């Protein structure tokens, strides 16, 4: 065994048969968020590189779940946009209480996520082309659709129709918000009717389905695009696989409810890697124009 110690200032490690051993008191903690470990292939990469690659693993292509901030940065030129209805928040029409009352749950979700509700809407330019963009955030009560989500999307559709600007909606949701019951389900009809008016005005609507898109969202606006596209390996469906399996009493096909399965069965137009999302959307809109 060899000890390295020329003076007190250099006595910070020693070498033994197993290699260099650093005394516990001299070890330094790695700052949080410096590295990203892919949950699929376990590859560890620098968080900055992961962000530059649109939060897609450079090893296996796994698409990390991201929210509205990240999609706004990816799609809007220089991240420059004007947000719409930013301060709209949910009321409590049913005085709903489960393990806690609904206003307290909303307050908790706002504190944890930094958001006012499960969708943000904005307008700006994408590669120089004016667009209206709505992005759902799973971090706010599972991206559930309540009255605010429906109203903000309806207003975004109205703005797109008025300005003749293409509409893009990025869906990421667990479905309708149970704390608003019937009020939540009404948003399915409301947003669908607004999209019918947008189609009559011949304004393009592209729906991007991401992981996961389920429940009332998948049963309404997210599947009504002029083009329905998705990110790779996203979970897309109405009820979850477990519910379906228990209902029909049989095993489901391999890959059931993934983007790839839906594409093979005609429910999607194409799948797009997030690193190519902005360029593919721009090309698609130019074709439509």
């Amino acid at each position: 065994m060899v000890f390295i110690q020329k003076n007190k200032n250099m006595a910070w490690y020693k070498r033994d048969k197993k290699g260099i051993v650093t005394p516990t008191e001299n070890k330094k903690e790695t700052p949080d968020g410096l590295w990203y470990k892919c949950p699929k292939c376990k590859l560890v990469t620098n968080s900055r590189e992961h962000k530059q690659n649109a939060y897609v693993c450079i090893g296996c292509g796994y698409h990390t779940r991201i929210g509205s901030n990240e999609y706004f940065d990816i799609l809007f030129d220089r991240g420059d946009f004007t947000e719409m209805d930013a301060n709209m928040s949910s009321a409590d029409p049913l005085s709903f209480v489960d393990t806690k009352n609904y206003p307290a749950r909303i307050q908790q979700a706002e504190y944890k996520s930094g958001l006012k509700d499960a969708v943000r809407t904005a307008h700006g330019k994408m590669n120089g082309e004016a667009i209206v963009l709505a992005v759902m955030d799973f971090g706010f009560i599972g991206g559930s659709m309540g009255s605010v989500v429906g109203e903000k999307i309806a207003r975004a559709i109205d703005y797109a129709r008025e300005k003749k600007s293409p509409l893009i909606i990025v869906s990421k949701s667990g479905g309708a918000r149970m704390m608003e019951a019937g009020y939540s389900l009404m948003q399915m009809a409301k947003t669908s009717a607004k999209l019918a008016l947008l189609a009559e005005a011949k304004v393009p609507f592209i729906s991007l389905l991401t992981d996961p898109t389920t429940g009332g969202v998948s049963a309404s606006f997210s599947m009504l695009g002029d083009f329905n596209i998705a990110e790779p390996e996203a979970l897309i469906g109405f009820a979850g696989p477990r519910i379906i399996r228990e209902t029909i009493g049989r095993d489901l096909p391999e890959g059931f409810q993934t983007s790839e399965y839906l594409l093979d069965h005609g429910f999607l137009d194409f799948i797009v890697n997030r690193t190519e999302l902005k360029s593919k959307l721009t090309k698609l809109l130019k074709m439509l124009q």
Side-chain angles (χ1 to χ4, degrees):
M1 182 179 298
V2 177
F3 287 87
I4 307 297
Q5 186 169 349
K6 291 184 179 180
N7 55 52
K8 293 182 178 180
N9 293 329
M10 294 187 62
W12 57 276
Y13 75 93
K14 65 180 179 179
R15 186 186 301 276
D16 60 17
K17 293 181 180 179
K18 296 181 180 179
I20 295 174
V21 178
T22 304
T24 301
E25 63 271 15
N26 291 331
K27 291 182 179 180
K28 295 182 179 180
E29 294 292 333
T30 302
D32 291 337
L34 187 61
W35 302 98
Y36 168 80
K37 183 177 181 180
C38 176
K40 184 177 180 181
C41 72
K42 311 305 180 185
L43 178 68
V44 177
T45 55
N46 185 281
S47 293
R48 185 183 303 165
E49 293 179 3
H50 185 58
K51 178 180 179 180
Q52 290 172 347
N53 203 47
Y55 304 92
V56 176
C57 177
I58 61 175
C60 67
Y62 175 80
H63 282 53
T64 305
R65 286 184 185 178
I66 57 176
S68 54
N69 278 330
E70 291 78 13
Y71 280 109
F72 285 172
D73 286 340
I74 290 170
L75 295 178
F76 284 124
D77 294 343
R78 299 174 300 280
D80 185 21
F81 59 88
T82 301
E83 188 165 358
M84 305 160 63
D85 306 304
N87 294 316
M88 188 182 296
S89 59
S90 295
D92 185 20
L94 302 176
S95 301
F96 186 91
V97 180
D98 48 15
T99 55
K100 62 180 66 176
N101 62 60
Y102 187 36
R105 192 172 294 281
I106 290 291
Q107 186 177 23
Q108 182 185 39
E110 289 179 353
Y111 176 77
K112 286 185 176 181
S113 66
L115 303 166
K116 299 296 288 186
D117 214 281
V119 72
R120 290 173 67 202
T121 56
H123 59 85
K125 291 188 176 181
M126 181 180 69
N127 285 331
E129 300 291 331
I131 63 166
V132 179
L133 179 63
V135 182
M136 302 194 74
D137 277 282
F138 198 78
F140 193 99
I141 314 183
S144 53
M145 179 175 62
S147 299
V148 169
V149 170
E151 180 64 16
K152 290 181 75 169
I153 289 177
R155 292 188 185 190
I157 296 170
D158 286 341
Y159 184 89
R161 186 159 60 100
E162 176 188 347
K163 301 296 183 181
K164 301 295 183 183
S165 296
L167 172 69
I168 301 170
I169 299 180
V170 180
S171 297
K172 189 186 301 283
S173 174
R177 188 172 299 174
M178 69 171 190
M179 290 79 86
E180 294 188 23
Y183 287 93
S184 177
L185 298 178
M186 290 176 189
Q187 309 313 310
M188 298 170 63
K190 178 179 181 177
T191 53
S192 299
K194 289 287 187 179
L195 286 173
L197 295 176
L198 189 71
E200 287 181 7
K202 301 188 184 303
V203 177
F205 164 43
I206 299 175
S207 178
L208 172 63
L209 295 86
T210 69
D211 183 59
T213 300
T214 59
V217 170
S218 68
S220 56
F221 61 83
S222 73
M223 293 299 287
L224 294 177
D226 296 309
F227 283 86
N228 296 323
I229 65 178
E231 292 181 343
E233 299 182 339
L235 172 66
I236 303 168
F238 182 68
R242 180 180 59 81
I243 301 297
I244 297 173
R245 189 183 301 109
E246 292 176 355
T247 301
I248 65 176
R250 56 192 296 185
D251 291 333
L252 302 174
E254 184 177 354
F256 182 69
Q257 291 187 323
T258 62
S259 304
E260 291 72 17
Y261 187 91
L262 268 65
L263 179 65
D264 289 342
H265 289 77
F267 286 91
L268 295 175
D269 293 293
F270 60 90
I271 295 171
V272 58
N273 190 297
R274 195 184 295 150
T275 58
E276 302 175 339
L277 180 59
K278 187 174 183 177
S279 61
K280 289 286 182 70
L281 287 175
T282 302
K283 289 179 182 178
L284 181 56
L285 291 177
K286 286 183 176 179
M287 288 172 58
L288 294 176
Q289 291 171 359

